[in-house]
């Protein structure tokens, strides 16, 4: 089965348009009309492979904004995940989207089996996971410093599904995230049990109690790890929620939980300043 069935995808997108508009309005710092955020590509290489991240921001805003380093779900950077980045960026953030899969990955159609295999290939190689995420962050930060549009003194991070797992590995390795949020995270636990971690910032986990991909037991294990790290962490568990509840193209999408999730993230980052 192809993961992107056009009719189903368009129906789910349409059902999420109102929610996205409402969330964007609630998250915006003011109500005046402005152009939609744009995205600009940034190329980088890891181990001789080519990758292309994206900077997403509203170019009509002239004041510097905080940086949000984003790891999208297993689709990588495609039009769906770019739309999420534009929504989150709004007027408030410069979103830096990491590419973990390689140049052009998001434009290719892939089956669910292929998506899973590609995700697991990255997850099971923690050295590459950390190296690629770090290279993406360094390259994207360098690009926004040249443009002089962002406050790069603090970096927030947000990860969806597989991207949340990749960011947790990066954080364990000592990434200097001021705050990290993971939504319905896939693979939250380290590949190698007992891995020493170097968390430096606060962590918020937003999850569903009925997530079949990442059951509550794995979140409990992550909670124990975060406790041992002696950092400020929180878990928000939505009762009965499935996997990918913030993704309008997924059958488990919830407008209500998406709104709650993004407002929780906004408040969490505000508390981290």
């Amino acid at each position: 089965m192809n993961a992107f069935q056009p009719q189903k995808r368009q129906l789910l997108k349409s059902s999420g348009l109102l929610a996205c508009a409402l969330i964007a309005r609630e998250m915006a710092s003011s109500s005046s009309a402005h152009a939609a955020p744009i995205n600009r590509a940034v190329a980088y290489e890891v181990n001789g492979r080519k990758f292309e991240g994206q900077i997403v921001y509203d170019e009509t805003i002239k004041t510097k904004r905080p940086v949000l380093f984003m790891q999208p779900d297993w689709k990588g950077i495609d039009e769906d995940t770019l739309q999420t980045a534009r929504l989150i960026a709004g007027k408030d953030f410069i979103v830096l989207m990491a590419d973990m899969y390689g140049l052009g990955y998001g434009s290719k159609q892939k089956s669910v089996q292929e998506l899973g295999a590609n995700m697991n290939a990255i997850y099971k190689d923690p050295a590459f996971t950390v190296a690629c995420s770090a290279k993406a962050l360094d390259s994207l930060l360098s690009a926004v410093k040249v443009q002089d549009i962002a406050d790069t003194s603090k970096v927030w991070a947000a990860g969806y599904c597989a991207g949340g797992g990749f960011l947790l590995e990066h954080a364990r390795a000592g990434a200097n995230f001021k705050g990290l949020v993971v939504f319905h995270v896939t693979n939250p636990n380290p590949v190698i049990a007992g891995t020493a971690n170097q968390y430096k910032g606060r962590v918020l986990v937003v999850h569903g109690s009925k997530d079949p991909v990442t059951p509550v037991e794995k979140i409990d294990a992550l909670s124990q790890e975060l406790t041992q790290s002696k950092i400020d962490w929180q878990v928000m568990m939505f009762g009965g929620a499935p996997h990918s509840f913030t993704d309008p193209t997924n059958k488990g999408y919830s407008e209500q939980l998406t709104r709650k999730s993004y407002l929780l993230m906004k408040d969490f980052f505000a508390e981290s300043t």
Side-chain angles (χ1 to χ4, degrees):
M1 181 183 70
N2 192 287
F4 303 122
Q5 300 176 46
Q7 291 182 340
K8 178 180 178 183
R9 179 172 173 175
Q10 186 57 46
L11 175 63
L12 290 166
K13 277 186 176 180
S14 298
S15 68
L17 288 177
L18 176 59
C20 288
L22 291 171
I23 295 162
R25 185 172 62 188
E26 290 177 13
M27 292 187 66
S29 56
S30 69
S31 59
S32 60
H34 64 286
I38 64 169
N39 53 281
R40 292 183 177 172
V42 175
Y44 50 95
E45 291 190 10
V46 180
N47 299 335
R49 290 177 56 193
K50 294 183 178 181
F51 297 82
E52 187 176 83
Q54 295 283 340
I55 304 173
V56 183
Y57 65 102
D58 186 335
E59 63 181 347
T60 68
I61 306 301
K62 303 306 179 183
T63 56
K64 290 187 177 182
R65 285 142 286 169
V67 168
L68 178 61
F69 182 51
M70 179 181 289
Q71 287 272 13
D73 62 28
W74 66 354
K75 296 191 295 292
I77 298 178
D78 69 354
E79 189 53 40
D80 291 336
T81 56
L82 270 170
Q83 182 60 32
T84 296
R86 295 183 190 110
L87 169 66
I88 297 300
K91 297 180 179 182
D92 299 322
F93 294 104
I94 305 294
V95 173
L96 311 180
M97 290 187 76
D99 172 18
M100 299 290 286
Y101 296 94
L103 181 64
Y105 184 82
S107 63
K108 302 173 183 176
Q109 289 202 340
K110 297 163 285 290
S111 68
V112 171
Q113 291 75 18
E114 290 171 324
L115 287 164
N118 295 334
M119 171 191 71
N120 285 323
I122 297 172
Y123 173 68
K124 291 177 181 179
D125 188 349
F128 170 79
T129 299
V130 173
C132 192
S133 186
K135 184 65 173 181
L137 179 57
D138 289 347
S139 300
L140 291 160
L141 277 176
S142 295
V144 294
K145 285 178 181 178
V146 170
Q147 291 182 253
D148 198 30
I149 58 175
D151 175 6
T152 58
S153 63
K154 295 182 289 292
V155 176
W156 283 266
Y160 295 78
C161 306
F166 300 155
L167 276 177
L168 285 170
E169 289 290 357
H170 194 177
R172 288 184 184 102
N176 192 22
F177 300 137
K178 184 73 173 179
L180 165 61
V181 181
V182 292
F183 300 102
H184 37 80
V185 59
T186 305
N187 297 324
N189 309 131
V191 176
I192 303 172
T195 298
N197 60 68
Q198 304 174 58
Y199 289 102
K200 293 182 178 178
R202 305 171 70 225
V203 176
L204 170 63
V205 180
V206 184
H207 206 69
S209 69
K210 295 296 184 181
D211 189 327
V213 176
T214 308
V216 172
E217 291 78 14
K218 290 188 176 183
I219 300 301
D220 289 343
L222 175 60
S223 299
Q224 292 177 8
E225 177 191 6
L226 296 172
T227 298
Q228 293 168 359
S229 303
K230 298 181 180 179
I231 61 169
D232 181 355
W233 64 273
Q234 304 165 43
V235 171
M236 172 57 71
M237 188 69 70
F238 292 136
H243 192 63
S244 294
F245 51 79
T246 66
D247 182 357
T249 70
N250 187 276
K251 65 180 180 181
Y253 170 74
S254 168
E255 173 188 331
Q256 179 185 39
L257 295 184
T258 299
R259 183 185 295 108
K260 286 183 177 180
S261 296
Y262 290 164
L263 292 177
L264 281 167
M265 178 176 69
K266 186 177 181 181
D267 287 345
F268 178 76
F269 289 149
E271 292 170 358
S272 301
T273 56

